[in-house]
Amino acid sequence: MEPNIQEVANRIKWLREDLGLSQQDMAEATERSLEEYALQESGQQDLSFTFLYKCAEKFGVDVVELLTGEDPHLCGYSLVRAADGLSIKRRAGFEYLHKAPCFKGKLAEPFQVTAPYLADEQDKPIHLSRHEGQEIDYVLEGRMRFAFEDHEEVLDPGDMVMYDSGRPHGMIAIDGAPCRFLAIVLRPSGPTII
């Protein structure tokens, strides 16, 4: 099931108001201008995973709670079959499939990500984003060009990169085909968000 962007935006607004935070507080927490934040909170602009992740961190909730309105509840183990998971379609056709949405107290967020091949991105600088913690990306199929600050690498199936996701990073699919990879976002050390 794909979360409804307006419902997600409403949950962000309600949580912000419940916690007594201003839009300026959240703009700073998500590293956006006040105008950009207001557009995203109103549902008028797409919500990137990085934006959602930073909102969840600021609110002290699981990102899945923002997406679904439900608090994860499994605490022993969580089994998600190959084609299942919580679907998130964001950022210019990127598709994220959260592979453990119901597991409570996660120390990491596991995603199967499909990056579309976009011809117009091939000769442009890669869009960079950042979020606290670390990330592991393991290429399953296709190829990607990975950028970390001013470094670039080409990753093939079976290649893995681990990095400080608090520093600018991004990736695009190359060679005329989508790239599917496993992305594991590791939380920074500190209290676990439950």
Side-chain angles (χ1 to χ4, degrees):
M1 176 179 89
E2 173 71 19
N4 177 295
I5 190 170
Q6 191 59 57
E7 290 175 6
V8 174
N10 288 342
R11 277 190 281 278
I12 290 169
K13 179 181 178 184
W14 297 330
L15 275 167
R16 177 185 61 75
E17 290 174 347
D18 284 350
L19 293 170
L21 298 169
S22 69
Q23 283 192 338
Q24 183 62 46
D25 294 332
M26 290 305 297
E28 291 169 11
T30 58
E31 299 178 2
R32 280 154 177 71
S33 70
L34 180 58
E35 294 75 23
E36 287 174 310
Y37 178 82
L39 285 171
Q40 290 182 310
E41 183 185 84
S42 69
Q44 296 176 44
Q45 193 176 76
D46 196 19
L47 309 176
S48 70
F49 172 74
T50 300
F51 174 79
L52 294 169
Y53 188 80
K54 287 179 179 181
C55 285
E57 281 185 323
K58 183 70 174 174
F59 298 148
V61 301
D62 192 293
V63 71
V64 172
E65 191 171 342
L66 289 181
L67 293 168
T68 66
E70 297 177 17
D71 195 15
H73 56 278
L74 298 176
C75 57
Y77 75 96
S78 172
L79 172 64
V80 177
R81 300 290 180 188
D84 295 334
L86 177 63
S87 177
I88 308 164
K89 292 182 170 90
R90 299 286 177 261
R91 195 182 133 210
F94 271 64
E95 294 182 23
Y96 296 81
L97 190 60
H98 196 299
K99 298 303 284 184
C102 296
F103 193 80
K104 184 176 184 163
K106 291 182 284 297
L107 300 177
E109 301 287 345
F111 295 93
Q112 178 181 295
V113 182
T114 303
Y117 174 80
L118 299 171
D120 62 328
E121 286 188 341
Q122 301 305 305
D123 296 321
K124 295 179 183 174
I126 295 174
H127 171 77
L128 303 177
S129 62
R130 58 185 181 192
H131 49 86
E132 286 190 42
Q134 298 176 340
E135 186 168 332
I136 298 169
D137 295 336
Y138 180 86
V139 178
L140 300 168
E141 60 187 44
R143 299 179 76 215
M144 79 160 66
R145 191 168 45 151
F146 169 78
F148 184 84
E149 295 179 331
D150 59 349
H151 303 281
E152 286 194 8
E153 302 285 346
V154 172
L155 281 70
D156 295 310
D159 289 349
M160 185 194 91
V161 61
M162 182 172 183
Y163 51 94
D164 175 351
S165 53
R167 294 165 65 182
H169 64 278
M171 65 281 298
I172 62 169
I174 59 173
D175 294 343
C179 179
R180 193 167 59 91
F181 60 99
L182 180 62
I184 301 173
V185 178
L186 304 161
R187 298 187 184 283
S189 53
T192 302
I193 297 173
I194 296 178

